Amino acid sequence: MEYELTFVVTGADVDDDGAVWSLMEHADATLHRGAGVDLLTISVDADNAVDATQMAIVECKRHVPELVFLRLDRDLVGVSEIAQRTKRSRQNVSQWISGERHVGLAPFPAPEGVVGRARVWLWGEVNTWLAQLGLNDDLSRPTRDEILEIDYLLSVLEKSKRLRAERALLWSATRVRRGKSFNVGLLNTRKSLSRIHADFTNTGHIVFDIHSLSRVAPKRAVSEEFDAATSASSAVELTEVEQ
């Protein structure tokens, strides 16, 4: 089953040519902007929307590690948008909604809410309803329950990354003297603890310069101590940087 997913993201946007190219070339995903937020749209073959989301995140972050998935975009549509996507008139769409046409079909989906004075619907639910008329686009989208589950999972993921970052900061503040050099990712530079926190939160990866610690404790012992303190050994790499 092919799912089309659109996420609200941060960490990369349409102005980042490298990220845009990498996602398009390697993940067949599109970065774009709508209603003032950065969006990523990707199609994935999976048994359900939750599995599709996990596959999409892994594939996209493999090529753009700094990308952060915040939540699913609801893709709300009004009468005009439905008419445009189905190439039908607004009057035709209004008749679907009221039930005046195609008697005997399932009722039109309930609106998700009201924007101004106009009702809006989840496009995924409308698209499923349109399958009765052969007017759907043959792509699956998360159900209302799946949207809630996916948003919850994304929220938990980000909270977990922030917690690991806070643990990393606590450890670094106690084990590394202020003003020492840090090697974060591939960038060797002097960074404040607040910047290291931001890097780790966005990428889930941080590399410490432990040159000054090598006289205090062997690298293995320092690494084991850090792993025990953070419970994030798979996400954090501790290495020495040549001086």
Side-chain angles (χ1 to χ4, degrees), residues 39-223:
L39 303 169
L40 180 142
T41 298
I42 184 171
S43 295
V44 181
D45 285 320
D47 293 334
N48 57 70
V50 177
D51 287 349
T53 294
Q54 294 173 334
M55 294 167 63
I57 292 174
V58 169
E59 183 64 19
C60 291
K61 289 183 73 68
R62 178 181 294 124
H63 304 292
V64 184
E66 64 271 21
L67 194 64
V68 178
F69 291 75
L70 300 178
R71 62 183 183 277
L72 278 172
D73 179 61
R74 295 300 189 265
D75 195 9
L76 299 176
V77 293
V79 172
S80 296
E81 289 81 10
I82 297 172
Q84 182 179 14
R85 296 187 188 191
T86 58
K87 296 180 172 58
R88 295 296 191 273
S89 67
R90 287 173 50 89
Q91 181 181 6
N92 198 169
V93 174
S94 296
Q95 290 172 333
W96 291 341
I97 295 170
S98 65
E100 293 178 31
R101 299 189 62 175
H102 305 292
V103 177
L105 296 182
F108 199 80
E112 179 71 4
V114 176
V115 177
R117 295 184 178 181
R119 291 175 294 175
V120 291
W121 290 262
L122 286 172
W123 171 245
E125 293 185 345
V126 174
N127 189 58
T128 298
W129 184 89
L130 288 169
Q132 302 172 98
L133 306 178
L135 296 175
N136 63 316
D137 59 14
D138 295 325
L139 292 173
S140 297
R141 292 172 178 81
T143 64
R144 189 181 298 270
D145 288 342
E146 286 175 328
I147 289 174
L148 294 175
E149 182 178 358
I150 290 168
D151 279 357
Y152 173 75
L153 291 174
L154 292 176
S155 174
V156 169
L157 176 64
E158 286 308 304
K159 287 180 180 178
S160 175
K161 287 172 62 178
R162 285 196 296 271
L163 179 59
R164 294 202 306 269
E166 289 166 1
R167 287 173 174 170
L169 279 179
L170 177 62
W171 185 89
S172 64
T174 58
R175 298 295 299 175
V176 181
R177 293 196 302 272
R178 183 177 182 181
K180 292 302 294 183
S181 169
F182 289 92
N183 182 12
V184 181
L186 298 178
L187 180 62
N188 190 4
T189 185
R190 299 173 70 88
K191 289 177 177 285
S192 66
L193 289 180
S194 61
R195 179 56 190 273
I196 294 168
H197 184 291
D199 285 340
F200 187 83
T201 300
N202 289 334
T203 68
H205 186 79
I206 186 171
V207 182
F208 286 98
D209 169 11
I210 61 168
H211 181 77
S212 62
L213 300 179
S214 60
R215 300 190 190 92
V216 179
K219 177 181 174 182
R220 180 182 298 276
V222 174
S223 181

